[in-house]
Amino acid sequence: MTATKPPGGSVFLVEDEVMIRMMVADMLEELGYSVAAEAGEINEAVRLAGSTEFDIAILDVNVNGKVISPVAEVIHSRGRPFIFATGYGAQGLPEEFRDRPTLQKPFQMETLAQVLASTLKGVAV
């Protein structure tokens, strides 16, 4: 029997609300993804964004009152795809990243699966 790779591989998850982070991590694992790293604070997220291997990131736009831009910039500089998760709508996104895929909170597992699959398909080599 051969182990199969999850459909999208590994995910870096940034979310300051612990219960939401746990729920999204559970959804990801149920969908067949692995969680490469999790962060609930901007400085930790910046460090992990630069040092962790992952296929895609899900970034909460507002982490403890701070905008996610520094984390998005590190991920962008590494050429990795990312998705924003927000309850604020498109106007809450950092200006320079408003073209990125967005999950509107609260979201269902089906929506998460669709946005991950379409984002990963867009960067497939």
Side-chain angles (χ1 to χ4, degrees):
M1 204 153 94
T2 312
T4 58
K5 186 178 183 220
S10 58
V11 179
F12 172 43
L13 178 58
V14 180
E15 169 61 60
D16 59 342
E17 296 288 335
V18 176
M19 294 305 289
I20 294 173
R21 193 166 67 232
M22 290 170 55
M23 181 188 70
V24 174
D26 287 347
M27 284 182 183
L28 289 166
E29 289 174 7
E30 194 168 325
L31 290 169
Y33 294 85
S34 63
V35 177
E38 299 178 27
E41 181 276 314
I42 291 286
N43 292 333
E44 177 187 19
V46 167
R47 181 182 63 77
L48 290 170
S51 64
T52 304
E53 288 303 315
F54 57 90
D55 297 309
I56 190 167
I58 299 174
L59 308 176
D60 182 9
V61 171
N62 183 326
V63 180
N64 293 318
K66 296 179 182 170
V67 145
I68 195 73
S69 295
V71 181
E73 288 165 6
V74 171
I75 295 169
H76 177 71
S77 73
R78 292 185 67 191
R80 302 284 164 82
F82 57 90
I83 297 166
F84 288 116
T86 181
Y88 300 105
Q91 62 273 26
L93 298 179
E95 184 77 36
E96 66 273 27
F97 296 117
R98 289 204 174 146
D99 61 334
R100 298 298 169 132
T102 305
L103 281 164
Q104 183 67 41
K105 290 180 179 179
F107 52 84
Q108 300 296 316
M109 190 173 349
E110 296 77 24
T111 306
L112 175 62
Q114 290 168 353
V115 173
L116 282 167
S118 65
T119 303
L120 285 165
K121 183 186 282 186
V123 296
V125 179

